[in-house]
Amino acid sequence: MASPLAGRPYDLRHAALSTWLNAGVDATEVAARAGNSVEVLLKRYAKCLDGRQEQNNRRIEAAFTP
């Protein structure tokens, strides 16, 4: 029986990992929870990190601001 939640069971996993990365969870933590290496995670999900330049710039700036 097909699930109304996802076309494939893998879609739910993909949605979870993408959401965690977009929420700012460290890639090392997401990879560990997913049972992947960081390299595999970022190869597969790097596109999820696009469009975060402003957020990253604020974090970098805050790190250098006393």
Side-chain angles (χ1 to χ4, degrees):
M1 178 174 194
S3 169
L5 297 176
R8 303 171 299 185
Y10 182 79
D11 292 341
L12 294 175
R13 174 185 165 88
H14 180 78
L17 300 181
S18 300
T19 300
W20 297 346
L21 288 170
N22 279 322
V25 177
D26 290 332
T28 52
E29 179 67 19
V30 175
R33 290 177 183 223
N36 288 343
S37 69
V38 174
E39 180 182 8
V40 168
L41 181 81
L42 293 179
K43 276 185 180 179
R44 183 81 172 132
Y45 296 94
K47 62 183 172 275
C48 298
L49 302 174
D50 287 344
R52 294 177 39 180
Q53 289 83 6
E54 289 299 318
Q55 178 184 11
N56 291 331
N57 287 343
R58 285 192 301 273
R59 287 180 176 171
I60 292 168
E61 189 174 315
F64 289 106
T65 304

